[in-house]
Amino acid sequence: MDWVERTARLRQWTRSGTRAPHKPLLFLYALSRFQQDADDEVRYSAVEEDLRGLLAEYGPGNRTTPAYPFHHLVSDGVWEVRTERGPGSPGTGVRELRATGATGRLTPELRAALRREPSLLPRIARVLLDLNFPPSLHGELCEAVGLELEVAETAPLSAARRQRDRRMREMVLTAYEYRCAFCGYDGRIGAVPVGLEAAHVRWWAFDGPDEVENGLCLCSLHHKLFDKGVLGLGPGHRILVSQSFVGHSTAAREHVVTLSGRPLIGPQPGAGPVADAHRSWHTTQVFHGSPRPATTV
């Protein structure tokens, strides 16, 4: 059984690029618990708040219960659920999962495979990260679930994976003349730009193309905030700042809050601006909450 391929084919509800990272987040959490204790079962009532926090921070804006992946991941053959009555999940109801003392863990077959082949765990984790989240969030997400990925990946992740276009970064940075499209930062060491990155508007994991029309040149700070849904793009290519963002320092106001309503810096004439379809995807699938009113200068 190829566990990496099975991971790549998790059944997730999807329509028109809708994000549904519920199962991947639970799977990553379960891998972390396996690292801590290979035979430990996680009681739903004990981990409910952990899972709810992960969904709130790394899921789309619409809230869903952690009971959903706890029950449905069973159907993918990598997770099992037991209650006080025996094997099997009682369903997706939060009350039922709590009342029956539901516990879950990786299936015996997968646990055995992970013991036999230590490099399998980071390979599975890498698939979950690559197919569901942008690279800017991978390290942070591993820390959030307590997952250590020190073992190097040694095999291809999936035969079905698309190949990235290595020219993407250079094309996007050139289009925006090596300036952050949000704040204008343009730092260099000699001739080498530092702290500037090519951000995908529609994430590559969700069929976002490696094209200028799906890219923004952003500084490292604004790239992370864009991928976390703090920042977004509104009509007329003006910057959105989430009302959910809280920052009282001068730095938070100057670098985040005051961006609300500002037009993007770039791209240069002749380079295609962000396509409306990609901008709309980010607004519905990544941006959190409602935008703040435009800042008056």
Side-chain angles (χ1 to χ4, degrees):
M1 179 179 299
D2 191 326
W3 292 104
V4 174
E5 285 297 325
R6 175 168 289 194
T7 300
R9 301 179 189 279
L10 288 184
R11 290 188 286 273
Q12 296 170 257
W13 187 91
T14 181
R15 184 179 63 194
S16 301
T18 300
R19 292 180 62 216
H22 313 76
K23 287 182 178 181
L25 285 170
L26 174 58
F27 202 169
L28 287 167
Y29 187 88
L31 291 172
S32 171
R33 295 298 291 256
F34 176 87
Q35 282 187 328
Q36 298 168 40
D37 184 343
D39 291 314
D40 185 36
E41 293 182 323
V42 296
R43 184 174 292 271
Y44 176 78
S45 58
V47 301
E48 181 178 0
E49 288 308 309
D50 284 350
L51 297 176
R52 193 184 306 279
L54 289 171
L55 284 168
E57 188 165 1
Y58 297 101
N62 55 311
R63 297 290 185 260
T64 55
T65 171
Y68 175 88
F70 203 92
H71 167 79
H72 284 293
L73 188 59
V74 172
S75 65
D76 293 282
V78 299
W79 176 252
E80 63 177 9
V81 174
R82 297 178 61 90
T83 68
E84 295 165 352
R85 299 192 293 264
S89 171
T92 57
V94 171
R95 291 181 180 177
E96 289 78 4
L97 287 167
R98 293 173 182 165
T100 58
T103 61
R105 64 177 175 177
L106 301 176
T107 60
E109 297 83 2
L110 178 52
R111 297 201 309 275
L114 291 171
R115 289 191 188 96
R116 288 194 306 270
E117 188 179 354
S119 67
L120 179 60
L121 189 148
R123 288 162 53 207
I124 288 175
R126 187 61 58 192
V127 169
L128 294 168
L129 292 167
D130 282 350
L131 297 184
N132 295 280
F133 306 97
S136 67
L137 300 184
H138 290 183
E140 174 188 317
L141 184 49
C142 286
E143 290 184 12
V145 300
L147 190 60
E148 296 287 341
L149 296 185
E150 296 179 353
V151 182
E153 180 183 317
T154 59
L157 301 183
S158 169
R161 288 183 61 199
R162 296 181 295 135
Q163 294 296 314
R164 292 179 182 269
D165 189 338
R166 297 181 181 274
R167 300 170 300 168
M168 168 75 169
R169 181 178 184 274
E170 187 63 28
M171 290 190 300
V172 171
L173 267 59
T174 298
Y176 285 84
E177 300 180 285
Y178 295 86
R179 294 182 300 170
C180 175
F182 285 176
C183 69
Y185 168 81
D186 60 355
R188 294 172 181 263
I189 293 180
V192 180
V194 291
L196 287 173
E197 301 166 356
H200 282 74
V201 178
R202 183 186 182 110
W203 294 353
W204 189 87
F206 288 83
D207 297 323
D210 288 331
E211 299 173 354
V212 171
E213 290 79 3
N214 187 42
L216 287 172
C217 176
L218 297 178
C219 66
S220 300
L221 171 65
H222 290 136
H223 188 178
K224 175 61 73 67
L225 295 179
F226 188 65
D227 283 345
K228 288 290 290 268
V230 172
L231 300 175
L233 281 181
H237 293 84
R238 291 186 175 271
I239 302 169
L240 303 179
V241 178
S242 173
Q243 287 185 337
S244 301
F245 175 79
V246 177
H248 301 293
S249 66
T250 299
R253 290 196 302 272
E254 291 182 351
H255 297 301
V256 183
V257 176
T258 58
L259 294 177
S260 182
R262 288 186 188 177
L264 286 183
I265 300 171
Q268 63 176 292
V274 174
D276 285 343
H278 303 321
R279 178 184 62 80
S280 177
W281 181 89
H282 186 276
T283 301
T284 59
Q285 298 302 315
V286 180
F287 186 73
H288 275 259
S290 303
R292 290 171 175 261
T295 302
T296 56
V297 180

